[in-house]
């Protein structure tokens, strides 16, 4: 009887703990405003972007479309948070990794 009690108690605790966990939502990224930049060819995905290789395109929740972004290996249009960009809409330094990379190029 004790073995069954401890088994039921463990299940009840597991259910109780899982009921109070915060669900993760990927939808919140859709409403985040980014500073969008066109990245010079040859900068790999998730790599730091040199400030000289990033041309400001605009601010918004979705990336602007660029016709020459048709690849799969390098950054083409990348989004940065406002803390990564200075007041002149340039990357603060050469060590900024994009928060979003919706369009790639080869």
């Amino acid at each position: 009887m004790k073995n069954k009690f401890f088994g039921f108690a463990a299940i009840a605790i597991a259910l109780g703990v899982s009921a109070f966990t915060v669900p993760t939502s990927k939808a919140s990224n859709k409403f985040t405003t980014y500073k969008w930049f066109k990245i010079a060819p040859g900068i790999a995905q998730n790599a730091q972007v040199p400030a000289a290789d990033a041309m400001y395109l605009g601010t918004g929740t979705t990336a602007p479309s660029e016709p020459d972004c048709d690849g799969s290996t390098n950054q083409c249009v990348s989004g940065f948070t406002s803390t990564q960009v200075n007041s002149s809409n340039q990357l603060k330094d050469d060590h900024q990794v994009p928060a979003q990379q919706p369009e790639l190029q080869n």
Side-chain angles (χ1 to χ4, degrees), residues 34-39 49 57 63 75-80 98-104:
Y34 294 104
K35 304 273 186 170
W36 298 102
F37 288 83
K38 171 86 163 103
I39 308 300
V49 177
L57 297 173
Q75 297 179 46
C76 188
V77 173
S78 296
F80 296 85
Q100 290 290 317
Q101 298 172 3
E103 295 194 35
L104 300 173

Side-chain angles (χ1 to χ4, degrees), residues 41-47 69-76 101 103-106:
I43 308 293
Q45 290 183 41
N46 301 315
C69 295
D70 59 355
S72 61
T73 56
N74 296 316
Q75 297 179 46
C76 188
Q101 298 172 3
E103 295 194 35
L104 300 173
Q105 61 189 343
N106 286 333

Side-chain angles (χ1 to χ4, degrees), residues 25-39:
S25 173
K26 294 183 180 182
S28 63
N29 285 343
K30 292 182 180 180
F31 300 109
T32 302
T33 300
Y34 294 104
K35 304 273 186 170
W36 298 102
F37 288 83
K38 171 86 163 103
I39 308 300

Side-chain angles (χ1 to χ4, degrees), residues 4-16:
K4 289 183 181 179
F5 173 75
F6 289 121
F8 287 127
I11 291 171
I13 291 172
L15 289 173

